[in-house]
Amino acid sequence: FTKIIVGKVKKSRWREILYGTLADSIMRLSGDIDVYVVTGESEDTKWLRSPFWKSGTPLYYFLSAPAVSVVLTLVMLPFRSMLESFNFVMPYLIGVVWVAVRFGRGPAMLCALFSALLYNYAFVEPYGLLKISDEQQVISFAILMLTGVLIGMQTSRLRLKAIYARKREETTSVLYAMTRGLAASRGKQTLAEIAARHVSEALD
């Protein structure tokens, strides 16, 4: 082959300085081959940094998050007299992770908050009061709250990255199939039909 066409993803300046780009590496190693660089998709990470209250998350996701904490509390209540209070922290954290995977970052943070409050209300003496009476309970409450928030945010971030990667993979697959179809065909009518079919599949 005599030509290479490569898309250049827009990155912040400091990332280009530190890590370089694939386009730069290809041009450096291309030798006598012509390299054409076209503008690709920018690194869209704003959706990872946006506040959870502006994320467009459906309202029922936020209503489901505290419901998970309530259900966990009801399931664990019969065991309250058998176990120490700190043993009930882990099920709440598992609930936060499940909410983060299923519903996203905002509901996960809300679930962490409700879990910490319900843990204090139902499993920390005196029962039935939002009151902390000793140092160990303060530590358990703080660990549940902070760990729940951090786990929820990170799990949700991974979920969003997976969704974004899957969408990019689908787009790349459609473009590859269209390129193969166009390369193997001749005639304006045939090329137009192939392009229209793939565009229709990509845009539904």
Side-chain angles (χ1 to χ4, degrees):
F1 55 91
T2 58
K3 297 180 178 66
I4 297 176
I5 301 177
V6 58
K8 182 178 181 181
V9 177
K10 295 179 181 178
K11 296 183 178 181
S12 60
R13 184 58 181 166
W14 70 268
R15 290 197 64 179
E16 287 191 358
I17 295 174
L18 289 177
Y19 304 109
T21 66
L22 177 61
D24 293 334
S25 300
I26 292 176
M27 285 188 289
R28 187 171 58 253
L29 300 173
S30 60
D32 296 331
I33 300 174
D34 295 331
V35 180
Y36 298 87
V37 181
V38 296
T39 303
E41 296 180 355
S42 61
E43 286 190 320
D44 187 8
T45 58
K46 292 182 179 179
W47 48 271
L48 292 175
R49 303 191 299 266
S50 60
F52 72 89
W53 57 85
K54 295 182 180 179
S55 62
T57 305
L59 178 60
Y60 75 90
Y61 281 14
F62 286 98
L63 297 178
S64 300
V68 171
S69 301
V70 172
V71 170
L72 287 172
T73 303
L74 294 176
V75 170
M76 294 186 294
L77 268 178
F79 305 98
R80 183 171 64 182
S81 60
M82 308 176 193
L83 301 171
E84 294 291 336
S85 62
F86 61 83
N87 291 300
F88 298 103
V89 172
M90 187 57 67
Y92 281 123
L93 293 178
I94 294 174
V96 172
V97 171
W98 185 84
V99 170
V101 172
R102 181 65 180 84
F103 300 128
R105 176 174 48 186
M109 296 177 68
L110 185 62
C111 182
L113 174 61
F114 267 82
S115 296
L117 294 175
L118 288 173
Y119 166 77
N120 179 258
Y121 184 83
F123 299 106
V124 175
E125 296 181 352
Y127 302 132
L129 295 174
L130 292 176
K131 181 180 179 180
I132 299 176
S133 57
D134 61 49
E135 181 179 345
Q136 182 178 356
Q137 293 171 356
V138 172
I139 294 174
S140 297
F141 179 85
I143 288 176
L144 173 56
M145 183 64 192
L146 294 176
T147 306
V149 169
L150 291 174
I151 288 178
M153 291 180 64
Q154 292 302 317
T155 303
S156 176
R157 186 182 182 89
L158 292 174
R159 169 179 172 269
L160 291 175
K161 281 187 174 182
I163 292 173
Y164 185 65
R166 186 165 61 250
K167 289 182 178 179
R168 294 188 65 178
E169 181 181 356
E170 291 172 355
T171 301
T172 302
S173 177
V174 170
L175 290 174
Y176 176 69
M178 184 173 68
T179 301
R180 290 188 61 184
L182 293 175
S185 303
R186 295 292 183 273
K188 293 181 180 181
Q189 182 66 28
T190 302
L191 295 177
E193 290 175 356
I194 292 174
R197 184 176 71 252
H198 286 289
V199 170
S200 176
E201 291 176 358
L203 301 180
D204 194 22

